[in-house]
Amino acid sequence: VIDDVVVGAGIVGLAHATALAKRGRQVLVVESSPRAEGASIRNFGMVWPIGQPEGVLHQTAMTSRCIWEELAHQSGIPLEPCGSLHLAYHEDELQVLTEYAASQLPSVRRVLAPAEVLLHAPFAVENGLLGGLYSLTEACVEPRTTLWELPPFLSRSMGVEFRFCTTAWRWESGTLHTDTGTFSARRCWVCSGRDARALFPDALPHNQLMPCKLQMMRTAPMQQRIGPMLAAGSTLRHYGCFARCPSLSAVRKRFAEEHPAFDRWGIHVMVSQHASGELTIGDSHEYGDAVSPFDRPEIDALILEYLRSFFNPPELQIAERWHGIYLKHGERPYVTAEPTDDCMVINALGGAGMTLSFGLAEAVVSRALGENDAEL
Ligand SMILES: Cc1cc2nc3c(=O)[nH]c(=O)nc-3n(C[C@H](O)[C@H](O)[C@H](O)COP(=O)(O)OP(=O)(O)OC[C@H]3O[C@@H](n4cnc5c(N)ncnc54)[C@H](O)[C@@H]3O)c2cc1C
């Protein structure tokens, strides 16, 4: 009998496997695909603490950031500590950034004047630029290579076992039943992403969980580096960290008038660059079970048009397009459930799984193993 079996080799499953194996436990991960293919390989690879509201969530994101750094250092998986820049082209946007920065340590996050922005971000559009919020805490990974290289690294360095092409059906009395056989373990950790109904269908509050579909694009490799990951006014409407800024309502109102399709399709635009040079660009947010499985070219066109208003690289040739789907709770940043004494379900990290997973896994594991009784 091993100590732990983890269902799902997305970032949430890998983070829990890491937290458990670090404690000297014997861990098996089962994954239904030949390699992870869910939300975790379809994202920007942004480790984005700035997006989290101050307090526990921001702290969880910063813990994740440290664990990412440790893992990158030990495994050789590239992690770019490039930081982030939110660019302002309207007075109301600059006002939000200034209000936000007032509560931050200036050595970590501060508003830069246009000339300084351009020193950090050589491809930021200069025309109309009023300033930018520069933050040092964000980092970028390439999600595909990271998710595919972490399993062999965890096997080599911590003895974690992986069974791919193995779908879990049921956890009962210390046994995980799968389509390739049964596995006995002391505990089960279910990190199944959007397929949350397969195991313990009643464990999660499904009436409060919504799938969200996001359209994404990627360019061919670009030789030059873009500097920090970039966002602009549209993103201020998206992340909880800006919610307390009094001027945000003016930004929201202007976007609703100037870009009604942005609210319709949940568009806000960001760009990251991976170690190999490709730019990942997105995204949109369509909520609900009835969302089309097919992508909408008009959404991609809107994203690219807005991107060009703040980012002007020598070339912007789209090489790939795809969409990803995650689960999101109406009010909570993630959901955990304990359907039996020996099983935890962890899901619905929404758009912040790359940012929160490692820190959350530390908190979930240490509480479940009785190391502390902190609330999740
Ligand atoms: C387009 C997009 C962009 C995003 N950008 C970012 C970003 O830049 N930064 C950030 O922090 N977050 C981002 N996110 C959010 C982040 O990607 C998700 O929160 C995270 O990937 C969710 O991870 P997961 O492990 O829960 O799900 P998944 O990655 O979907 O993994 C679940 C895994 O479980 C497996 N599985 C399911 N059921 C079973 C079963 N019964 N048996 C065996 N295996 C099973 C599945 O095959 C899958 O591999 C983005 C998401 C999307 C879609």
Side-chain angles (χ1 to χ4, degrees), residues 74-114:
Q74 293 161 1
S75 66
I77 291 170
L79 173 116
E80 304 274 310
C82 52
S84 67
L85 246 172
H86 288 72
L87 304 171
Y89 290 87
H90 292 265
E91 287 296 342
D92 51 17
E93 294 168 358
L94 186 63
Q95 196 54 37
V96 169
L97 299 183
T98 308
E99 288 162 3
Y100 174 82
S103 64
Q104 300 288 308
L105 274 182
S107 55
V108 180
R109 290 178 185 153
R110 66 200 162 95
V111 175
L112 306 182

Coordinates of all heavy atoms in Angstrom, one line a residue, residues 74-114:
Q74 N 16.0 23.3 -9.6 CA 16.4 21.9 -9.4 C 16.2 21.1 -10.7 O 17.0 20.2 -11.0 CB 15.5 21.2 -8.4 CG 15.8 21.7 -7.0 CD 14.7 21.4 -6.0 OE1 13.7 20.7 -6.4 NE2 14.8 21.8 -4.8
S75 N 15.2 21.5 -11.5 CA 14.9 20.6 -12.7 C 15.5 21.1 -14.0 O 15.5 20.4 -15.0 CB 13.4 20.6 -12.9 OG 12.9 21.8 -13.2
G76 N 15.8 22.4 -14.0 CA 16.3 23.0 -15.3 C 15.2 23.5 -16.2 O 15.4 24.0 -17.3
I77 N 13.9 23.3 -15.7 CA 12.8 23.9 -16.5 C 12.8 25.4 -16.5 O 12.9 26.0 -15.4 CB 11.5 23.3 -15.9 CG1 11.3 21.8 -16.1 CG2 10.3 24.1 -16.5 CD1 10.2 21.2 -15.4
P78 N 12.8 26.0 -17.7 CA 13.0 27.5 -17.7 C 11.8 28.2 -17.0 O 10.6 27.9 -17.2 CB 13.0 27.9 -19.2 CG 13.2 26.6 -19.9 CD 12.7 25.5 -19.0
L79 N 12.2 29.2 -16.1 CA 11.2 30.1 -15.5 C 11.8 31.5 -15.7 O 12.9 31.7 -15.2 CB 11.1 29.7 -14.0 CG 10.2 30.7 -13.2 CD1 8.9 30.0 -12.7 CD2 11.0 31.3 -12.0
E80 N 11.1 32.3 -16.3 CA 11.6 33.7 -16.6 C 11.1 34.6 -15.5 O 9.8 34.9 -15.4 CB 11.0 34.2 -17.9 CG 11.3 33.3 -19.1 CD 12.7 33.7 -19.7 OE1 13.0 34.8 -19.9 OE2 13.5 32.7 -19.9
P81 N 11.9 35.2 -14.7 CA 11.4 36.1 -13.6 C 11.3 37.5 -14.2 O 11.9 38.5 -13.8 CB 12.6 36.1 -12.6 CG 13.8 35.7 -13.4 CD 13.4 35.0 -14.6
C82 N 10.4 37.6 -15.2 CA 10.4 38.8 -16.1 C 9.5 39.9 -15.5 O 9.6 41.1 -15.9 CB 9.9 38.5 -17.5 SG 8.4 37.6 -17.5
G83 N 8.7 39.7 -14.5 CA 7.8 40.7 -14.0 C 6.7 41.0 -14.9 O 6.5 40.4 -15.9
S84 N 5.9 42.0 -14.6 CA 4.8 42.4 -15.4 C 4.7 43.9 -15.5 O 5.2 44.6 -14.6 CB 3.5 41.9 -14.8 OG 3.2 42.5 -13.6
L85 N 4.0 44.4 -16.6 CA 3.8 45.8 -16.8 C 2.3 46.0 -17.2 O 1.9 45.4 -18.2 CB 4.7 46.3 -17.9 CG 5.8 47.3 -17.5 CD1 6.7 47.6 -18.7 CD2 5.2 48.7 -17.0
H86 N 1.5 46.7 -16.5 CA 0.2 47.1 -16.9 C 0.3 48.5 -17.5 O 0.7 49.5 -16.8 CB -0.8 47.2 -15.8 CG -1.2 45.8 -15.2 ND1 -0.3 45.0 -14.5 CD2 -2.3 45.1 -15.3 CE1 -0.9 43.9 -14.1 NE2 -2.1 43.9 -14.6
L87 N 0.0 48.7 -18.8 CA 0.2 49.9 -19.5 C -1.0 50.8 -19.4 O -2.1 50.2 -19.5 CB 0.7 49.7 -20.9 CG 1.9 48.8 -21.1 CD1 2.1 48.4 -22.6 CD2 3.1 49.5 -20.6
A88 N -0.9 52.1 -19.3 CA -2.0 53.0 -19.3 C -2.0 54.0 -20.5 O -0.9 54.6 -20.7 CB -2.0 53.8 -18.0
Y89 N -3.1 54.0 -21.2 CA -3.2 55.0 -22.3 C -4.4 56.0 -22.1 O -4.7 56.8 -23.0 CB -3.4 54.2 -23.7 CG -2.2 53.5 -24.0 CD1 -1.9 52.2 -23.6 CD2 -1.2 54.1 -24.9 CE1 -0.7 51.5 -23.9 CE2 0.0 53.4 -25.2 CZ 0.2 52.2 -24.7 OH 1.4 51.5 -25.0
H90 N -5.0 55.9 -21.0 CA -6.1 56.8 -20.6 C -5.9 57.2 -19.2 O -5.4 56.5 -18.4 CB -7.5 56.1 -20.8 CG -7.9 55.7 -22.2 ND1 -8.7 56.5 -23.0 CD2 -7.5 54.7 -22.9 CE1 -8.8 56.0 -24.2 NE2 -8.1 54.8 -24.2
E91 N -6.4 58.5 -18.9 CA -6.2 59.0 -17.6 C -6.8 58.1 -16.5 O -6.2 57.9 -15.4 CB -6.8 60.4 -17.5 CG -6.0 61.5 -18.2 CD -4.6 61.7 -17.6 OE1 -4.3 61.3 -16.4 OE2 -3.7 62.3 -18.3
D92 N -8.0 57.6 -16.8 CA -8.7 56.7 -15.8 C -7.8 55.5 -15.5 O -7.8 55.0 -14.4 CB -10.1 56.4 -16.2 CG -10.3 55.8 -17.6 OD1 -9.3 55.4 -18.2 OD2 -11.4 55.8 -18.1
E93 N -7.1 55.0 -16.5 CA -6.3 53.8 -16.3 C -5.1 54.1 -15.4 O -4.7 53.4 -14.5 CB -5.8 53.2 -17.7 CG -7.0 52.7 -18.5 CD -6.6 52.4 -19.9 OE1 -5.4 52.6 -20.3 OE2 -7.5 51.9 -20.7
L94 N -4.5 55.3 -15.8 CA -3.3 55.7 -15.0 C -3.7 55.9 -13.5 O -3.0 55.6 -12.6 CB -2.7 57.0 -15.6 CG -1.4 57.4 -14.9 CD1 -0.3 56.4 -15.1 CD2 -1.0 58.8 -15.5
Q95 N -4.9 56.5 -13.4 CA -5.5 56.7 -12.0 C -5.6 55.4 -11.2 O -5.2 55.4 -10.1 CB -6.8 57.5 -12.2 CG -7.3 58.2 -10.9 CD -6.3 59.1 -10.3 OE1 -5.6 59.8 -11.1 NE2 -6.2 59.1 -9.0
V96 N -6.2 54.4 -11.9 CA -6.3 53.1 -11.2 C -4.9 52.6 -10.8 O -4.7 52.1 -9.6 CB -7.0 52.1 -12.1 CG1 -7.0 50.7 -11.5 CG2 -8.5 52.5 -12.3
L97 N -4.0 52.6 -11.7 CA -2.6 52.1 -11.4 C -2.0 52.9 -10.2 O -1.4 52.3 -9.4 CB -1.7 52.2 -12.6 CG -2.2 51.4 -13.8 CD1 -1.2 51.5 -15.0 CD2 -2.4 49.9 -13.5
T98 N -2.2 54.2 -10.2 CA -1.7 55.0 -9.2 C -2.3 54.7 -7.8 O -1.6 54.6 -6.8 CB -1.9 56.5 -9.5 OG1 -1.4 56.7 -10.8 CG2 -1.1 57.5 -8.5
E99 N -3.6 54.5 -7.8 CA -4.3 54.2 -6.6 C -3.9 52.8 -6.1 O -3.6 52.7 -4.9 CB -5.9 54.1 -6.9 CG -6.5 55.5 -7.1 CD -7.8 55.5 -7.8 OE1 -8.4 54.4 -8.0 OE2 -8.4 56.5 -8.1
Y100 N -3.7 51.9 -7.0 CA -3.2 50.6 -6.6 C -1.8 50.7 -6.0 O -1.5 50.1 -4.9 CB -3.3 49.6 -7.8 CG -2.7 48.3 -7.5 CD1 -3.4 47.3 -6.8 CD2 -1.3 48.0 -7.8 CE1 -2.8 46.1 -6.5 CE2 -0.8 46.8 -7.5 CZ -1.5 45.8 -6.8 OH -1.0 44.6 -6.5
A101 N -0.9 51.4 -6.7 CA 0.5 51.4 -6.3 C 0.7 52.1 -5.0 O 1.7 51.8 -4.3 CB 1.3 52.1 -7.4
A102 N -0.3 53.0 -4.6 CA -0.1 53.7 -3.3 C 0.0 52.8 -2.1 O 0.5 53.1 -1.1 CB -1.3 54.7 -3.2
S103 N -0.6 51.6 -2.3 CA -0.6 50.6 -1.1 C 0.5 49.6 -1.3 O 0.5 48.6 -0.5 CB -2.0 49.9 -1.1 OG -2.1 49.1 -2.3
Q104 N 1.4 49.8 -2.2 CA 2.4 48.8 -2.5 C 3.8 49.2 -2.1 O 4.1 50.4 -2.1 CB 2.4 48.4 -4.0 CG 1.1 47.9 -4.5 CD 0.8 46.5 -4.0 OE1 1.6 45.6 -4.1 NE2 -0.3 46.3 -3.4
L105 N 4.7 48.3 -1.8 CA 6.1 48.7 -1.6 C 6.7 49.2 -2.9 O 6.7 48.4 -3.9 CB 6.9 47.4 -1.2 CG 6.9 47.1 0.3 CD1 7.8 45.8 0.5 CD2 7.4 48.2 1.1
P106 N 7.2 50.4 -3.0 CA 7.7 50.9 -4.3 C 8.8 50.1 -4.8 O 9.1 50.1 -6.0 CB 8.1 52.4 -4.0 CG 7.9 52.5 -2.5 CD 7.2 51.4 -1.9
S107 N 9.6 49.4 -4.0 CA 10.7 48.6 -4.5 C 10.2 47.4 -5.2 O 10.9 46.7 -6.0 CB 11.6 48.1 -3.3 OG 10.8 47.5 -2.4
V108 N 8.9 47.0 -5.1 CA 8.4 45.8 -5.7 C 7.4 46.2 -6.8 O 7.4 45.6 -7.9 CB 7.6 44.9 -4.6 CG1 7.1 43.7 -5.3 CG2 8.6 44.5 -3.5
R109 N 6.5 47.2 -6.6 CA 5.5 47.6 -7.6 C 5.4 49.1 -7.6 O 5.2 49.7 -6.5 CB 4.2 47.0 -7.2 CG 4.1 45.5 -7.4 CD 2.8 44.9 -7.1 NE 2.9 43.5 -7.2 CZ 2.2 42.6 -6.5 NH1 1.3 43.0 -5.6 NH2 2.4 41.3 -6.7
R110 N 5.6 49.7 -8.7 CA 5.5 51.2 -8.8 C 5.0 51.6 -10.2 O 5.2 50.9 -11.2 CB 6.7 51.9 -8.3 CG 7.9 51.7 -9.3 CD 9.2 51.9 -8.5 NE 10.3 51.3 -9.3 CZ 11.0 52.0 -10.2 NH1 10.8 53.3 -10.4 NH2 12.0 51.4 -10.8
V111 N 4.5 52.8 -10.3 CA 4.1 53.4 -11.6 C 5.3 54.0 -12.2 O 6.0 54.9 -11.6 CB 2.9 54.3 -11.4 CG1 2.6 55.0 -12.7 CG2 1.7 53.6 -10.8
L112 N 5.6 53.7 -13.4 CA 6.7 54.2 -14.2 C 6.2 55.3 -15.2 O 5.1 55.2 -15.7 CB 7.4 53.2 -15.0 CG 7.9 51.9 -14.3 CD1 8.7 51.0 -15.3 CD2 8.9 52.3 -13.1
A113 N 7.0 56.3 -15.4 CA 6.7 57.3 -16.5 C 7.0 56.6 -17.8 O 7.7 55.6 -17.9 CB 7.6 58.5 -16.3
P114 N 6.4 57.2 -18.9 CA 6.5 56.6 -20.2 C 7.9 56.2 -20.6 O 8.2 55.1 -21.1 CB 5.9 57.6 -21.2 CG 4.9 58.3 -20.3 CD 5.5 58.4 -18.9

